[in-house]
Amino acid sequence: MVSVLSRVQGRASAVLAVALAASCGSVEEPRRTVEVQPPPIVWISLDGLRADVVEELGGLPGLTPNLDRFLASAEVAGSAIAASTDPIAAAMSAFTGLLPSQHGALHRETPALADARETLAEALAGGGYRTIAFVGGTRVSAAHGHAAGFEEWRGLGPGREALRFLRQLADEPTFVWIDLDLPGPPLRHYPALVPRLEALGDRVAAEGLPERVGTVELADAVRGSQVLSDEVRRRWFSLYCLNVARADLRLGELLDALAASPAGARAVVAVVSARGEEVGDQPEGEPSGALRRRWLEVPLGLRLGGSLRAAAEARNPGLLAVARLHASLVEAAGGVALPGTATSFWSSVDGALSERWTPSGELELSWTSSVGDGEVDQVVVDDGFGLDAAPSEPRREVGWRWLPSAERLLSEQEVAPLERELRERWQSLIGDSPPRKPRWLEVTAGTQSHE
């Protein structure tokens, strides 16, 4: 079997054979090889960060200056579509390049990665990468399967250890995953960050904010079981904005530490939120809940640094989706993602499928597609067919479509064909065999040879 990376002194190194012509005469000098070492890869993940609060993506001003600068410098950047709204499922989809139905970690009652499904850390470790994780929060855990492939698995805590590690990061094949678990719930009050709210005007409240809003309170508001007054909505949204600012502050510290390291220039860096969040701030009369835009549209940025795939070739990736990062980072390291994972950013796609499983086995589907000029058309169908994917009596037929100009509920006549279309898309994906192990390439004389 051909490994993606020829092993050199215990670490991975791709080999590129270069023919050098003689500067004069017809005699050529002997061919020689030049080692092109795969770059370090740093993945910084967040949870609950929506695209509509990021200024660089046309969102609110002043909350995310560090993320804004990173997105402006990244070769691939924009609003991306999450694979799920469930925190466990979304995080695992980001890490495997698979839909929840493929990787098996559906929700808190079925949280574990299915046997033989491969994480990004396993794929990179198979190519000779050192792998280390600094994780925060409960949605990411060894029990769920996120630790698979990591040589070292550490808690993030205040982040001091992660900052030291990044400042010393060597220019060698190392995969570092830092999970901030921000700005998602519980939401906390950070008085020192209140000045960041000034640019938002009357939309937010700088005073009278609660000290904390928990996960259960937010969930009740989303479901409608807790009715919020306009003032409470404003205060909750203000608190969310403070948590966004807190996430951006910590992100800036990490990016500054990495920039000061020996690997700063060559590191491939990904920053993404696994999913968005809804904090009771939707306008009155607008539907809330699962698979809404606030849950699915998230910021994503990928700086390619010393990627072994040319950055210029990733300029037109089409619709961005969080699950596409898996294959993109494998390819940046010189690997090839097997069929079944979401397509990398070196190919263009025009749509993304998202899903949400309920503990009772019902499935909600969303298809988001490009309509040009960076705008999207989203179709959502709450179908309720079960874990066996067999057609069944729908719990209810509810759908909605979002276009740049308006959002509306679909008529009964519109729902049925869209439901069939989404079901067919979903079944065509799930029917593919998920990857069981990495397939790697070796770069030689400008060609790619596969196992």
Side-chain angles (χ1 to χ4, degrees):
M1 181 176 69
V2 179
S3 171
V4 63
L5 312 166
S6 301
R7 294 181 181 268
V8 177
Q9 297 180 347
R11 286 291 175 221
S13 177
V15 177
L16 176 66
V18 182
L20 299 177
S23 58
C24 59
S26 60
V27 178
E28 293 186 354
E29 293 183 0
R31 294 171 65 88
R32 63 187 179 87
T33 61
V34 178
E35 293 183 3
V36 181
Q37 185 166 254
I41 295 176
V42 178
W43 181 332
I44 303 174
S45 60
L46 303 107
D47 181 62
L49 181 58
R50 300 170 2 189
D52 67 351
V53 297
V54 178
E55 184 171 6
E56 180 67 19
L57 302 181
L60 301 180
L63 296 178
T64 56
N66 295 302
L67 178 57
D68 294 336
R69 283 191 292 271
F70 176 79
L71 293 175
S73 67
E75 287 83 358
V76 178
S79 296
I81 304 302
S84 179
T85 59
D86 181 89
I88 293 173
M92 191 63 78
S93 289
F95 215 47
T96 61
L98 302 172
L99 287 171
S101 295
Q102 294 173 295
H103 61 61
L106 304 181
H107 41 65
R108 293 190 184 279
E109 295 187 22
T110 309
L113 182 68
D115 292 341
R117 303 303 191 264
E118 179 162 87
T119 68
L120 177 61
E122 289 178 302
L124 294 175
Y129 270 71
R130 177 192 178 189
T131 55
I132 181 170
F134 300 89
V135 298
T138 58
R139 81 191 197 289
V140 169
S141 75
H144 297 163
H146 292 97
F150 281 104
E151 298 174 33
E152 300 177 63
W153 180 265
R154 306 179 186 178
L156 178 62
R160 288 186 289 270
E161 186 180 6
L163 288 170
R164 284 195 298 270
F165 188 90
L166 286 181
R167 291 190 191 101
Q168 300 169 6
L169 185 63
D171 185 5
E172 61 185 23
T174 302
F175 172 50
V176 186
W177 179 30
I178 301 175
D179 177 57
L180 286 178
D181 199 37
L182 289 168
L187 305 178
R188 295 182 173 87
H189 190 196
Y190 297 102
L193 295 174
V194 168
R196 288 219 192 175
L197 301 181
E198 292 178 356
L200 304 184
D202 293 339
R203 183 170 180 179
V204 297
E207 299 179 354
L209 300 181
E211 289 298 316
R212 185 181 188 275
V213 176
T215 304
V216 174
E217 293 173 275
L218 287 173
D220 287 344
V222 169
R223 287 193 298 264
S225 56
Q226 181 179 359
V227 179
L228 305 179
S229 68
D230 290 343
E231 183 58 27
V232 170
R233 288 176 184 272
R234 192 163 76 102
R235 289 177 179 176
W236 281 21
F237 180 69
S238 303
L239 201 65
Y240 173 69
C241 289
L242 287 182
N243 283 256
V244 169
R246 172 64 174 162
D248 183 75
L249 187 65
R250 295 197 65 179
L251 173 64
E253 294 171 347
L254 294 170
L255 293 175
D256 287 346
L258 177 61
S261 74
R266 287 195 71 242
V268 172
V269 186
V271 177
V272 67
S273 182
R275 58 167 195 149
E277 186 62 76
E278 199 167 83
V279 292
D281 61 310
Q282 67 276 9
E284 185 177 356
E286 179 180 315
S288 64
L291 300 182
R292 306 301 295 180
R293 294 186 61 213
R294 291 178 177 82
W295 287 105
L296 290 181
E297 292 186 14
V298 298
L300 179 150
L302 177 60
R303 192 182 72 196
L304 290 168
S307 166
L308 295 186
R309 288 210 62 177
E313 298 174 3
R315 295 292 185 182
N316 185 31
L319 186 74
L320 301 183
V322 176
R324 298 178 67 189
L325 262 178
H326 174 99
S328 301
L329 293 178
V330 168
E331 291 182 19
V336 176
L338 293 179
T341 56
T343 306
S344 80
F345 297 134
W346 279 277
S347 298
S348 182
V349 301
D350 62 359
L353 192 65
S354 306
E355 61 178 42
R356 175 182 176 269
W357 286 97
T358 68
S360 59
E362 294 164 335
L363 177 61
E364 299 164 335
L365 293 175
S366 166
W367 174 255
T368 307
S369 56
S370 301
V371 294
D373 297 326
E375 297 178 328
V376 298
D377 171 18
Q378 181 194 18
V379 175
V380 183
V381 173
D382 177 355
D383 174 60
F385 59 88
L387 284 166
D388 59 359
S392 62
E393 289 296 322
R395 172 166 55 92
R396 61 184 183 274
E397 287 191 351
V398 177
W400 59 79
R401 172 171 240 140
W402 178 84
L403 287 166
S405 57
E407 185 178 74
R408 66 182 178 87
L409 287 172
L410 299 171
S411 68
E412 184 177 345
Q413 291 76 18
E414 291 174 299
V415 168
L418 288 172
E419 184 273 329
R420 287 194 297 270
E421 180 183 349
L422 263 65
R423 185 197 295 269
E424 289 171 0
R425 288 184 186 276
W426 179 82
Q427 289 180 327
S428 68
L429 286 174
I430 303 307
D432 292 337
S433 298
R436 294 294 193 266
K437 59 182 180 179
R439 180 161 66 95
W440 300 102
L441 62 85
E442 188 168 333
V443 184
T444 307
T447 64
Q448 298 178 346
S449 58
H450 302 265
E451 64 173 349

